Amino acid sequence: MVRVAVIDYDLCKPHRCNLECIRFCPINRSGGKAIELSKEVGGKAFIYETSCVGCGICVKKCPYEAISIVNLPDELEKIVVHRYGPNAFKLYGLPVPQHGMFVGIIGKNGTGKTTALRILAGELTPNLGKFDKSITWDDVLNHFRGTELHQYLYKLVNKEVRVVHKIQHVDIVRRYVKGRVGEVLRRIDERGLINELKKVLAMDNVWDHKVTTLSGGELQKFTIMAALLRDADAYFFDEPASYLDVRERLLISRVIRDYVPKNSYVLIVEHDIAILDYVSDYVSIVYGEAGVYGIFSKIYSVGAGINHFLLGYLPAENMRIRREPIKFRVHAEAPEREITYKVTYISWPRMMKKLDGFELMVDEGFSYESEVVGILGPNGIGKTTFIRLLAGELKPDEGYVPTEGLRISYKPQYIRAEYYPWETVEEAFSELSKDGIINTDWFKVDVIRKLGLHKLIERRIDELSGGELQKFAIAIALAKDADIYLIDEPSAYIDVEERLTVAKAIRRVNELRRKVMFVVDHDLSIIDFIAHRVMVFKGTPGVKGYASQPLDLRSGMNMFLKDVGVTFRRDLKTGRPRVNKPGSYLDRKQKALGEYYYIAVESKEVEEEEK
């Protein structure tokens, strides 16, 4: 066995603890040296992996949970690709680009997806785990000789492959790209597609805007268009669906499929499993422990690969990556989900609100006790305006809001550290513990621990990453003793596994508190996973929006997807929603039946669809 010892130096605080890791280490106690404070890491703990026996005592004794130690098979050392330093993250294997094919990458945040893209793009030279030596690309080629990856890396090193990499954090573009959208894109148009892509991606409204003024969704489409305008041999897209609504996600998926040059290498990292399924031919799964190590699986067909990921077992590797499988427990015909007590909790009249030139009309409706109401619709159609009406931040111009006098817990769409009155995560949890719910065993396990927030207790709120801040904000909203919970876009910035963990946490709190929750999200898989009924928002974005009353899942999803023009089927093994190929047999059949989302299909039909 080989040991991988990782220390989170943001959490390691030797000046505030009693050095439990050093004092209780059995190797140290017997006269050896497996862990000590070292000047090389700023006077913090340093673990010698060759001396460590992997007993895990220091892991349990560390009061700040800064240490992780895992024992891995020796065989993995043959495929080690990169390590960031001593006691730092270690990457095993890489996804293998396939000529002329779209390869999706799925896995937790912090397991090496972006690192792999940077290596395959030639932006980072892998050190083969030898961080203390100078490794060249010749060494890398020798290491991969005889493997399927060698041919691609040889072309990359010899400049036979030009790579275009659409980065994950598109907001960085504002800092470095100056000028107006149209001017910038015309300068990089190497394929003569600028006018065609401008029309397909509906960029007319922002064509004369400065890049620095673009919203997150506009920046996403801008960077995708910039990548497709380049003439390259390999195209890498890191989280292309972030910031986009469902309609736009399906649009950019089709655009990527249609406009990437034939016979190119294409890699796509995406957390929306429906979109990843739609855009990919094959998938590589990365598994491991976030921030500690990551291992890339072999290539699977996209349908089978995503199912293996959700079910938690990789047959080619004979590896179990999850204790419990993730299954979507909705019947193929989608009857209305069981609500224990069909008691009306709140009701509202027809409402109207005008705001900055935008007008929202809301149909009268009601919600049951213990119900989760999902909210669907494109960006700029009034979803957040409706949530703000319920939260009491806005007053309707017509009608009234039924939440006056009720306790509201609101997780807004856009969150910032300065929104919270506390300095640290510990201070926030301590304050909220007065309400009682945060102290319950089920909340500590199903929300705090499963979201990994117990590891952030010592962290300042203004130092949290986007994903960490999102999970913190969700936990804060769920921890409050409220009558109505309003959760706006809980899946933003977090990976597919954490999205499902968040969905389970929302559903768990809802079941035990027996209140009502309104959840806005663009990931259909998440709405499908937790909602009892859905409200559908239609209209003209930025001009006028119309919100339906809460509809049963079947009617609501059919209404929404008919407007988008896309059909979904159910995966026979996991129950997850899958997008049908436009014009395929199932797509035509479901549209003819008026069933865009829930339909029982035969295995033969699914086999035909997947061909």
Side-chain angles (χ1 to χ4, degrees):
M1 299 290 284
V2 64
R3 266 161 290 286
V4 178
V6 173
I7 299 177
D8 187 334
Y9 287 111
D10 290 332
L11 299 180
C12 181
K13 304 179 190 299
H15 59 287
R16 292 180 57 183
C17 70
N18 294 316
L19 304 181
E20 288 88 347
C21 59
I22 296 175
R23 289 171 47 230
F24 287 97
C25 174
I27 302 299
N28 285 14
R29 290 169 70 93
S30 63
K33 186 177 291 184
I35 183 169
E36 66 176 351
L37 299 184
S38 173
K39 292 181 181 179
E40 292 183 18
V41 289
K44 297 189 177 185
F46 181 87
I47 297 174
Y48 296 94
E49 290 172 336
T50 53
S51 303
C52 175
V53 294
C55 65
I57 291 176
C58 59
V59 177
K60 296 176 181 177
K61 290 293 184 180
C62 177
Y64 301 113
E65 301 191 46
I67 301 174
S68 298
I69 296 178
V70 293
N71 297 312
L72 298 173
D74 288 325
E75 293 78 18
L76 280 176
E77 289 303 295
K78 298 176 183 177
I79 60 169
V80 63
V81 172
H82 191 72
R83 193 164 195 186
Y84 280 100
N87 295 163
F89 176 80
K90 198 169 187 178
L91 179 65
Y92 295 95
L94 288 170
V96 182
Q98 304 290 307
H99 197 248
M101 295 294 178
F102 291 72
V103 178
I105 299 173
I106 187 171
K108 288 194 237 179
N109 281 334
T111 51
K113 298 186 300 297
T114 297
T115 297
L117 286 193
R118 292 187 62 214
I119 290 171
L120 294 173
E123 300 165 4
L124 174 67
T125 304
N127 58 28
L128 308 178
K130 303 170 185 176
F131 52 84
D132 54 346
K133 296 183 179 180
S134 178
I135 301 296
T136 66
W137 275 108
D138 287 338
D139 298 322
V140 174
L141 290 177
N142 286 331
H143 176 78
F144 284 100
R145 192 176 302 280
T147 68
E148 191 178 358
L149 198 57
H150 180 268
Q151 183 181 6
Y152 172 83
L153 291 175
Y154 180 85
K155 291 180 179 179
L156 179 71
V157 172
N158 288 281
K159 310 296 183 184
E160 295 176 21
V161 170
R162 183 191 182 194
V163 180
V164 170
H165 181 191
K166 201 291 293 182
I167 60 173
Q168 175 185 9
H169 299 290
V170 293
D171 49 306
I172 295 175
V173 172
R174 292 194 192 97
R175 302 182 202 169
Y176 300 104
V177 179
K178 307 299 180 185
R180 301 189 182 277
V181 171
E183 296 170 354
V184 173
L185 292 175
R186 287 194 185 283
R187 286 200 298 269
I188 62 175
D189 180 22
E190 299 170 353
R191 301 177 61 205
L193 293 173
I194 189 165
N195 293 327
E196 192 172 344
L197 284 173
K198 174 185 176 183
K199 182 179 179 181
V200 172
L201 288 171
M203 297 288 284
D204 302 75
N205 294 337
V206 298
W207 201 248
D208 295 321
H209 292 190
K210 292 183 178 179
V211 175
T212 53
T213 66
L214 297 181
S215 67
E218 291 164 348
L219 268 176
Q220 188 69 267
K221 292 197 289 184
F222 169 78
T223 54
I224 290 170
M225 184 171 173
L228 293 174
L229 289 175
R230 297 282 193 181
D231 187 13
D233 306 289
Y235 294 81
F236 297 168
F237 298 91
D238 200 344
E239 298 190 26
S242 299
Y243 303 104
L244 301 177
D245 63 44
V246 177
R247 187 193 305 266
E248 291 172 323
R249 290 180 183 198
L250 292 166
L251 170 65
I252 62 101
S253 299
R254 288 195 293 266
V255 167
I256 289 173
R257 291 283 315 189
D258 293 343
Y259 286 92
V260 164
K262 304 301 180 187
N263 299 319
S264 299
Y265 297 98
V266 186
L267 293 179
I268 301 161
V269 174
E270 183 50 58
H271 294 307
D272 186 328
I273 56 176
I275 296 303
L276 186 74
D277 189 359
Y278 184 66
V279 76
S280 306
D281 298 309
Y282 297 96
V283 68
S284 181
I285 299 158
V286 59
Y287 59 97
E289 189 173 331
V292 181
Y293 73 99
I295 304 172
F296 275 93
S297 76
K298 296 177 180 178
I299 298 290
Y300 292 93
S301 65
V302 63
I306 293 176
N307 281 352
H308 294 331
F309 174 77
L310 293 175
L311 296 174
Y313 176 70
L314 307 181
E317 288 80 6
N318 191 24
M319 176 65 65
R320 182 154 295 285
I321 62 173
R322 185 179 297 105
R323 290 182 182 177
E324 296 180 3
I326 297 170
K327 288 191 176 182
F328 292 79
R329 45 174 208 177
V330 181
H331 190 276
E333 294 182 358
E336 190 167 341
R337 279 203 178 119
E338 287 292 326
I339 299 173
T340 309
Y341 304 99
K342 280 201 172 182
V343 177
T344 299
Y345 193 82
I346 62 167
S347 59
W348 56 89
R350 185 174 175 83
M351 293 187 289
M352 188 273 287
K353 177 65 182 177
K354 291 183 178 179
L355 185 68
D356 300 329
F358 175 77
E359 180 181 312
L360 173 65
M361 298 295 300
V362 182
D363 255 359
E364 63 178 323
F366 66 91
S367 65
Y368 294 119
E369 181 182 294
S370 300
E371 182 178 33
V372 177
V373 178
I375 295 178
L376 293 171
N379 285 329
I381 206 67
K383 302 185 303 296
T384 297
T385 300
F386 174 68
I387 292 294
R388 292 179 66 196
L389 284 169
L390 293 181
E393 289 187 2
L394 299 174
K395 299 294 182 183
D397 298 321
E398 293 180 12
Y400 64 88
V401 176
T403 55
E404 189 172 344
L406 297 178
R407 296 168 299 173
I408 306 293
S409 181
Y410 175 32
K411 201 291 287 184
Q413 178 182 12
Y414 299 109
I415 49 176
R416 294 181 181 175
E418 53 264 33
Y419 292 169
Y420 298 97
W422 313 287
E423 286 190 7
T424 67
V425 173
E426 183 179 28
E427 186 181 331
F429 287 170
S430 176
E431 180 70 23
L432 288 171
S433 66
K434 297 174 183 177
D435 285 336
I437 184 175
I438 202 170
N439 290 326
T440 59
D441 290 339
W442 66 265
F443 194 89
K444 289 178 180 177
V445 172
D446 292 340
V447 181
I448 302 297
R449 293 199 71 86
K450 286 192 175 178
L451 291 180
L453 295 172
H454 61 293
K455 295 184 178 181
L456 307 178
I457 288 295
E458 292 287 324
R459 296 275 293 277
R460 289 178 56 87
I461 296 172
D462 58 8
E463 293 176 348
L464 298 179
S465 68
E468 291 168 344
L469 185 61
Q470 181 72 272
K471 291 185 290 183
F472 169 76
I474 292 166
I476 292 297
L478 296 178
K480 292 180 180 177
D481 188 9
D483 300 304
I484 296 177
Y485 294 85
L486 308 172
I487 313 293
D488 200 345
E489 295 200 26
S491 71
Y493 307 108
I494 59 179
D495 64 48
V496 59
E497 197 155 337
E498 289 176 327
R499 290 180 184 194
L500 293 167
T501 302
V502 164
K504 287 180 179 179
I506 291 172
R507 196 164 65 188
R508 177 76 165 143
V509 172
N510 177 69
E511 289 170 352
L512 293 175
R513 302 305 302 280
R514 289 177 56 183
K515 305 297 184 181
V516 65
M517 293 188 177
F518 292 85
V519 180
V520 179
D521 211 288
H522 292 307
D523 189 333
L524 284 182
S525 302
I526 298 304
I527 294 295
D528 171 77
F529 195 78
I530 59 174
H532 294 91
R533 295 187 296 162
V534 293
M535 293 178 66
V536 179
F537 283 64
K538 301 170 69 175
T540 305
V543 180
K544 190 169 185 176
Y546 162 77
S548 74
Q549 62 181 324
L551 305 167
D552 64 87
L553 281 171
R554 183 175 186 173
S555 301
M557 288 295 191
N558 275 337
M559 176 188 288
F560 175 69
L561 291 173
K562 184 176 182 180
D563 191 45
V564 176
V566 172
T567 59
F568 280 73
R569 68 185 184 278
R570 284 287 175 181
D571 184 83
L572 298 177
K573 288 186 177 180
T574 62
R576 65 184 174 89
R578 302 186 66 182
V579 186
N580 292 322
K581 297 173 184 175
S584 66
Y585 168 74
L586 274 180
D587 184 56
R588 289 182 280 112
K589 176 184 176 180
Q590 290 182 221
K591 285 178 178 176
L593 293 172
E595 294 287 356
Y596 285 72
Y597 196 65
Y598 295 102
I599 184 171
V601 295
E602 301 294 334
S603 57
K604 291 181 180 178
E605 293 179 314
V606 174
E607 289 173 7
E608 186 65 28
E609 178 72 24
E610 293 181 353
K611 287 179 182 178

